Amino acid sequence: MALKVGDTLPNFKAKDTNGTIFESQNYIGKQPLIIYFYPKDDTPGCTTQACGFRDNYQKFRDLDAEVIGISADSVQSHIKFKTKFNLPFILLSDTDKKLRKLFGVENDFLFIPGRQTFVIDNNGVILFVFNSMQGKIHVDKALKILKELTK
């Protein structure tokens, strides 16, 4: 069953680009999170989305939020993607697709892994869920929700 607005972010673990284990419980209760799932490293739409988050990263940080990108690519692929595009945020590897299943992110167009963004408040409550194959829209919508949260 898919996570929806009002649900609490479940505890999960995954490897980041440093090869260390990221644990969601270390962030819940401390800061808002933008968790976005994307299909594949270094593809046109995913690069546009990632660079949109990169270009607006300071705006997210000014709102005390952390950005986390998740795909089924390997840690090694994430390292190359992060380095090539100078991505300052966390990328998590979900090679077994357990996180995609945990969040309930479905495939788009039958076989392409879905592109979905979750905005989570500092208490771990999901405030917003957005699904669109247009990557740049995710950045704008997430920023808008965060700004409303901090009013």
Side-chain angles (χ1 to χ4, degrees), residues 6-145:
D7 288 347
T8 300
L9 182 70
N11 290 331
F12 67 88
K13 297 177 184 180
K15 265 195 181 169
D16 66 17
T17 51
N18 297 319
T20 58
I21 300 297
F22 170 93
E23 295 186 49
S24 63
Q25 67 187 14
N26 293 336
Y27 289 82
I28 296 171
K30 296 179 180 149
Q31 66 187 119
L33 298 173
I34 308 301
I35 298 177
Y36 80 96
F37 286 83
Y38 64 98
K40 186 148 184 59
D41 289 343
D42 208 2
T43 56
C46 297
T47 298
T48 297
Q49 182 179 25
C51 290
F53 278 114
R54 177 202 63 204
D55 295 347
N56 289 280
Y57 186 65
Q58 191 55 52
K59 292 177 185 175
F60 286 104
R61 294 303 301 142
D62 290 346
L63 295 167
D64 199 32
E66 185 55 73
V67 175
I68 300 163
I70 302 173
S71 81
D73 293 299
S74 69
V75 169
Q76 203 56 34
S77 175
H78 280 342
I79 290 169
K80 289 178 188 173
F81 186 48
K82 188 171 184 149
T83 302
K84 182 176 180 179
F85 294 101
N86 196 28
L87 305 177
F89 49 85
I90 298 166
L91 292 180
L92 299 179
S93 182
D94 185 32
T95 55
D96 57 9
K97 299 182 179 137
K98 284 184 180 176
L99 295 181
R100 189 168 283 278
K101 185 176 180 180
L102 176 68
F103 280 74
V105 179
E106 300 289 331
N107 285 350
D108 288 323
F109 308 116
L110 300 176
F111 61 91
I112 299 171
R115 184 184 312 277
Q116 194 159 344
T117 297
F118 297 81
V119 178
I120 298 111
D121 72 10
N122 60 349
N123 294 313
V125 176
I126 297 172
L127 301 176
F128 184 74
V129 180
F130 182 70
N131 185 349
S132 170
M133 286 308 284
Q134 295 181 337
K136 178 69 171 93
I137 295 172
H138 290 254
V139 177
D140 298 336
K141 290 208 178 260
L143 260 175
K144 181 181 177 191
I145 296 299

